[in-house]
Amino acid sequence: MELSQIDLDRNINRLRIHAIDFADITNEELITLLEKTVENIQGIAYYWATLSAEKKQILQKHKEGEEWLGGPFVSILTTQYYIEYLKGNLQIDQDKFYSENNSYKVFPNKFIENLTFPLLNAEVRFNKNMSFEQIKEFRGFSQRLGVDNKVTLVLGAGNVSSIPYLDTLFHLVANRSTILLKLNPVNDYLLPIFEKVFAEFIDKGFISVVNGNLDTSKYLTKHRSVDTIHLTGSNFTYENIVYEKTLTDKERGLSTLRKVNKKPIFSELGNVTPIIIHPGKWSISEIKFQARKIATAKLNNSGFNCIAAQVIVLPKGWESTDKLKKYIKYYLNKIGDTTSYYPGANDSLSKLQNSDTYEQVNENLCSTPFMVADLDADDIYATTEVWNSTLYFKELDYSDYSSYVENSINYVNNELWGNLGVSVLFKGNYKTQHKDFIEKYKNELNYGTVAINEWSAIAFIIPTMPWGGFPGNKDNDIQSGQGYVHNALFFESPLKGIVETKFRFSRLIDPPWFVNFKIAHKLFKNLTYYQANNSKINFIKLLFSPLI
């Protein structure tokens, strides 16, 4: 039910009144509320995941695993990390700091993380002029700087069910702000779930959760009692909030542009996500494995991710370029079908389907066409998110490995829109002779997350990783946004996150987050319940997920 402006005012006034109480809350009191929140999530997790799967009309049972992983699981895990931070258990350790690249290792930290995300490592990098002492000192946001009795409006995303929760949680803890969470109409069915999850915060007047249409959002963003805004959505939504119009390319090119809405706004706005293929001697089985990884990066959540793969950057003339394209198409076809649940997606697919430059790779009878195209044939999608199940190929000239590294970095940094995340698939990434190439990719790719041999979206479910665009985006050319969320170590000035793993997970099995993993729904369900309470029974269920 959508609220009237009077009811919205009442909600905001209640948050304003209780912002004073929340600013004075102790860490111990906040920990108690968060521990109760974890219990609430555990109690409603099954309904949360299965309702999301039902509303998205998921066609294959195992893909329900995406809703467990990207819903209750990551919400529980992140909340637990925040609790540990508030308890003082996440101190910065000199042994995890590497001065040669100014990085701090943030994952894995626990046995269960090594078990469920094997071979995966993550670090946060900082500007070269920051010392370890400064990195250690400048953590905590409002805990360090003091609290201002703020009300923050969180405009929830419509695609991944944990995003509204995680955005709310970050501003709640980092900025000690009361929160008005306004859900997106696409997934406003989550209202009763979040009312249950945040029940104790809602009872105390620290959080309010509401539904509403575009007019509701416009009213709330301009409300004089809303101090700050957090948006996960599109750059066009951002522009309409800040400038009350969609900007022209000329306006985006200006050094500055006067704002209409001058409230501070944190934003995560998506990306034309590239996957860079570094040339090397790949076997057929390795090509197939990486093709399945790319298919996952495209079709997870039916392609409606701000970090969904969009452009596969390939070396022109490489011996495996055509083979990799062939197997990407093969596995897209093998996945078969999905549901384009996001408004407008079917219309955009129909338009592309009628173009001679696009190839449909799944059956014509499928409800959602999976299509591929050469980016040069429709280069508008170098600067525009396609937001559907279409994938593009871009081949780059090179003379040797070194020139390819240089050319691919320059291309994605300067020609593709956004800077949220990028992946590099590189065989032999841990070998000494390739160290310089790998470091160049890590250092010079100007993205919030750089993933070596993994889809960059994996950083989203690592609570200690900052999630957001690369620092420095202008207000009037916002790209992937400003600010970070998640970030459970509460670093105030991270430069980027780095995720790295082996070129191939295993010769015997794919990672459980791959779209072809047939027991993902069982595994991530059992993982969620184990994560909630660490019980031996749930651990046994996790180990025997294929049988239970």
Side-chain angles (χ1 to χ4, degrees):
M1 182 182 72
E2 295 180 6
L3 300 181
S4 67
Q5 289 187 0
I6 292 175
D7 288 329
L8 292 171
D9 289 343
R10 289 195 185 107
N11 282 15
I12 295 173
N13 289 339
R14 186 166 186 259
L15 293 170
R16 171 63 63 194
I17 292 168
H18 291 283
I20 299 170
D21 297 331
F22 192 59
D24 293 332
I25 195 171
T26 65
N27 281 358
E28 290 73 20
E29 291 171 318
L30 184 52
I31 288 166
T32 299
L33 290 172
L34 292 175
E35 287 174 339
K36 182 58 180 173
T37 300
V38 171
E39 293 178 16
N40 294 344
I41 297 174
Q42 182 183 2
I44 205 168
Y46 183 82
Y47 179 62
W48 180 342
T50 55
L51 177 67
S52 297
E54 176 189 331
K55 293 295 185 179
K56 292 180 180 181
Q57 302 174 58
I58 286 177
L59 302 176
Q60 299 162 323
K61 184 64 177 178
H62 71 274
K63 282 179 66 62
E64 187 182 287
E66 296 172 6
E67 300 307 317
W68 282 97
L69 182 64
F73 170 74
V74 70
S75 300
I76 289 171
L77 181 63
T78 304
T79 307
Q80 290 171 335
Y81 262 99
Y82 282 18
I83 290 169
E84 290 302 303
Y85 174 82
L86 292 168
K87 287 180 176 179
N89 294 338
L90 295 183
Q91 298 301 315
I92 300 302
D93 183 354
Q94 179 84 51
D95 291 340
K96 294 184 177 181
F97 179 72
Y98 302 91
S99 57
E100 61 269 24
N101 51 34
N102 235 33
S103 69
Y104 188 83
K105 184 178 179 180
V106 298
F107 186 89
N109 300 298
K110 304 172 184 177
F111 165 74
I112 190 64
E113 294 169 351
N114 280 298
L115 179 66
T116 52
F117 299 96
L119 310 178
L120 191 68
N121 294 284
E123 64 187 52
V124 177
R125 293 202 172 183
F126 300 86
N127 198 295
K128 291 290 186 183
N129 61 14
M130 288 191 73
S131 66
F132 174 75
E133 288 72 25
Q134 290 173 320
I135 292 168
K136 185 176 180 180
E137 176 185 357
F138 294 109
R139 293 200 305 147
F141 299 91
S142 289
Q143 284 207 92
R144 185 180 69 83
L145 299 170
V147 184
D148 295 330
N149 307 333
K150 290 182 178 178
V151 175
T152 296
L153 169 65
V154 173
L155 296 173
N159 55 341
V160 177
S161 67
S162 63
I163 291 177
Y165 176 90
L166 295 173
D167 292 347
T168 295
L169 188 70
F170 178 79
H171 289 284
L172 195 73
V173 177
N175 299 318
R176 285 297 204 277
S177 174
T178 55
I179 307 292
L180 177 60
L181 170 58
K182 190 267 173 187
L183 298 178
N184 191 298
V186 177
N187 59 5
D188 58 12
Y189 53 81
L190 295 171
L191 178 65
I193 291 171
F194 290 137
E195 287 179 333
K196 170 63 176 176
V197 166
F198 289 124
E200 286 69 28
F201 286 99
I202 293 171
D203 288 346
K204 291 180 178 295
F206 300 155
I207 292 178
S208 178
V209 187
V210 300
N211 282 338
N213 57 20
L214 180 60
D215 289 337
T216 303
S217 296
K218 287 180 178 179
Y219 179 73
L220 293 175
T221 57
K222 297 176 183 179
H223 202 287
R224 64 181 182 177
S225 290
V226 168
D227 300 297
T228 59
I229 301 168
H230 181 98
L231 166 69
T232 297
S234 80
N235 57 310
F236 303 114
T237 302
Y238 168 89
E239 289 176 351
N240 278 282
I241 292 171
V242 176
Y243 299 103
E244 296 188 355
K245 64 177 182 178
T246 299
L247 301 183
T248 64
D249 288 341
K250 181 179 179 181
E251 288 170 322
R252 294 184 186 116
L254 297 174
S255 59
T256 187
L257 187 66
R258 187 182 67 84
K259 296 181 178 181
V260 177
N261 188 331
K262 297 181 181 180
K263 300 178 191 291
I265 179 167
F266 302 85
S267 51
E268 188 270 278
L269 306 174
N271 197 43
V272 172
T273 303
I275 297 180
I276 297 171
I277 309 301
H278 185 85
K281 292 190 177 297
W282 294 16
S283 69
I284 291 297
S285 64
E286 289 168 341
I287 291 171
K288 290 180 177 180
F289 174 79
Q290 300 302 342
R292 293 194 295 275
K293 182 181 295 177
I294 291 167
T296 295
K298 178 72 261 183
L299 292 182
N300 176 281
N301 196 25
S302 299
F304 302 118
N305 289 315
C306 54
I307 197 71
Q310 182 158 326
V311 178
I312 310 304
V313 180
L314 294 147
K316 184 180 289 186
W318 176 48
E319 62 182 2
S320 296
T321 288
D322 289 339
K323 293 175 186 175
L324 182 58
K325 287 182 180 180
K326 168 189 169 182
Y327 282 109
I328 290 171
K329 296 175 189 179
Y330 171 80
Y331 284 111
L332 289 174
N333 176 53
K334 191 171 182 179
I335 290 166
D337 203 359
T338 187
T339 303
S340 290
Y341 67 86
Y342 217 91
N346 283 322
D347 290 340
S348 68
L349 282 168
S350 294
K351 290 177 183 178
L352 299 180
Q353 205 172 11
N354 292 328
S355 169
D356 293 337
T357 60
Y358 289 82
E359 175 189 355
Q360 181 171 339
V361 298
N362 60 345
E363 299 294 330
N364 289 330
L365 294 177
C366 290
S367 61
T368 298
F370 300 162
M371 293 186 291
V372 298
D374 289 331
L375 187 61
D376 290 341
D378 201 356
D379 61 4
I380 188 175
Y381 290 106
T383 54
T384 304
E385 283 186 288
V386 70
W387 204 247
N388 61 36
S389 52
T390 305
L391 190 65
Y392 296 87
F393 299 120
K394 172 67 179 181
E395 296 186 19
L396 298 181
D397 289 318
Y398 74 110
S399 56
D400 54 24
Y401 288 170
S402 180
S403 70
Y404 184 76
V405 175
E406 188 76 30
N407 294 348
S408 60
I409 290 171
N410 288 339
Y411 174 73
V412 300
N413 279 349
N414 300 314
E415 302 298 327
L416 299 183
W417 179 85
N419 46 36
L420 181 62
V422 59
S423 297
V424 180
L425 304 186
F426 193 123
K427 184 177 180 180
N429 55 305
Y430 289 124
K431 291 184 177 179
T432 303
Q433 65 263 39
H434 296 150
K435 181 178 179 181
D436 289 345
F437 293 152
I438 291 294
E439 282 304 306
K440 190 174 181 68
Y441 278 126
K442 291 178 179 178
N443 288 330
E444 297 186 17
L445 284 167
N446 294 332
Y447 285 79
T449 297
V450 176
I452 307 297
N453 289 331
E454 189 48 83
W455 179 28
S456 50
I458 200 76
F460 180 87
I461 58 173
I462 299 176
T464 47
M465 287 283 279
W467 183 253
F470 190 74
N473 293 325
K474 296 189 305 177
D475 294 335
N476 57 312
D477 187 14
I478 195 63
Q479 299 285 313
S480 293
Q482 297 170 336
Y484 288 103
V485 288
H486 306 185
N487 190 18
L489 293 171
F490 293 92
F491 293 121
E492 293 175 16
S493 300
L495 182 66
K496 66 175 73 170
I498 307 288
V499 178
E500 187 168 13
T501 190
K502 288 178 62 177
F503 181 66
R504 187 170 184 182
F505 177 82
S506 167
R507 293 180 179 274
L508 302 176
I509 190 171
D510 286 344
W513 50 88
F514 273 30
V515 290
N516 57 296
F517 197 84
K518 296 302 183 182
I519 60 165
H521 58 300
K522 296 180 181 179
L523 188 147
F524 289 123
K525 173 187 172 182
N526 292 329
L527 178 61
T528 298
Y529 287 124
Y530 171 73
Q531 189 65 46
N533 59 19
N534 294 331
S535 78
K536 292 181 180 179
I537 292 176
N538 284 327
F539 184 67
I540 293 170
K541 287 182 178 179
L542 176 61
L543 292 179
F544 289 93
S545 292
L547 305 175
I548 297 175

